[in-house]
Amino acid sequence: MIVSRLTKLKESTYEVEIENEVYVLDEETVLKYRLFKGYEISSDLLKECIQSNELETIKKKAYSYYLRYQKNAYEIIKYLTDREILYSQALEAVNELEEKGLLNELGLAVLVAGSLARNSNGEKMIRYKLKNRHFKNDVIEASLMQLTEEDIEEGKAKLYAKAMKRFGKLPSYEQKQKLKEVFYRHGYIEGFSS
């Protein structure tokens, strides 16, 4: 089988004609398998080439989703499988992206944890929300260790100000009890201390 025609379509895709069959392939695949005009390719290698192209397409879709929506590996795999991509292919694509360092679970978890802290969430609530997003336990613990004191204090100050608007007119004892309840509900381990 010989490559009879190679035409660039858009950004990084090519139309490759082999034995009167036209294949739309990713630039990575064309380069990897050296599919240039006049190149001879076996049918087994062509099958491998098509599978490799499919994986490249899945990786691009996964990476695009990661960049656009800041999702972790679990969420990316779920997104891909919801679009009728086989779980094994989705997992392989995500693993390759992680190996290349293109997906950074810890960096993402640190950003999410910091944002949650600034939005009045205590350590327990942050841990719960990160688990809910299916971050791995070691990533969750590492992200909690990297929380800054400024983020935590900013969240506490916002929560305190909001609670005081609600409970400011209550007697001191009741006010203190309500504040403790609010802080515990938001996942602050130590609660509120005046």
Side-chain angles (χ1 to χ4, degrees):
M1 301 171 77
I2 295 175
V3 177
S4 56
R5 185 172 54 88
L6 179 70
T7 312
K8 186 167 180 133
L9 295 177
K10 56 181 180 178
E11 291 172 20
S12 61
T13 55
Y14 285 83
E15 197 173 77
V16 181
E17 187 176 328
I18 302 171
E19 300 289 312
N20 296 323
E21 286 284 326
V22 177
Y23 304 94
V24 177
L25 302 174
D26 190 83
E27 186 174 41
E28 293 287 323
T29 307
V30 170
L31 292 173
K32 181 178 177 182
Y33 291 92
R34 296 184 297 281
L35 299 175
F36 303 110
K37 189 174 179 179
Y39 180 76
E40 194 173 321
I41 186 169
S42 68
S43 59
D44 288 340
L45 193 58
L46 180 60
K47 284 179 188 173
E48 184 186 314
C49 172
I50 292 167
Q51 287 174 342
S52 176
N53 186 67
E54 207 173 296
L55 184 61
E56 278 302 316
T57 304
I58 294 168
K59 284 191 323 195
K60 282 187 175 182
K61 196 176 280 190
Y63 188 60
S64 173
Y65 184 69
Y66 166 76
L67 288 176
R68 184 173 217 163
Y69 300 106
Q70 295 296 295
K71 300 294 184 177
N72 62 21
Y74 173 87
E75 294 165 320
I76 294 168
I77 291 170
K78 183 171 179 354
Y79 166 79
L80 293 171
T81 55
D82 286 350
R83 274 137 195 84
E84 299 181 4
I85 292 172
L86 295 175
Y87 176 80
S88 59
Q89 290 177 314
L91 182 62
E92 186 179 350
V94 167
N95 286 340
E96 280 192 33
L97 290 172
E98 284 178 328
E99 286 170 15
K100 289 181 179 178
L102 296 173
L103 298 183
N104 183 354
E105 291 259 329
L106 178 59
L108 179 59
V110 168
L111 289 174
V112 171
S115 173
L116 290 169
R118 287 186 301 278
N119 286 310
S120 305
N121 291 284
E123 185 181 322
K124 279 190 171 189
M125 186 61 77
I126 294 169
R127 183 177 279 113
Y128 171 78
K129 289 183 177 187
L130 290 174
K131 278 186 182 185
N132 240 13
R133 284 192 60 182
H134 299 276
F135 282 100
K136 295 172 189 142
N137 284 333
D138 57 330
V139 172
I140 293 171
E141 295 309 315
S143 66
L144 289 172
M145 296 294 288
Q146 292 187 36
L147 278 177
T148 65
E149 196 60 40
E150 293 84 31
D151 289 343
I152 295 166
E153 290 305 316
E154 182 182 333
K156 280 183 174 181
K158 282 182 186 176
L159 186 58
Y160 180 79
K162 188 175 178 182
M164 285 308 288
K165 282 182 184 176
R166 261 179 88 190
F167 308 124
K169 294 183 179 164
L170 294 175
S172 166
Y173 175 77
E174 241 183 287
Q175 190 180 82
K176 193 172 181 177
Q177 283 304 108
K178 295 284 185 184
L179 285 171
K180 277 184 181 181
E181 287 174 21
V182 167
F183 272 77
Y184 281 126
R185 252 194 329 265
H186 280 260
Y188 288 97
I189 297 168
E190 70 281 355
F192 168 76
S193 55
S194 57

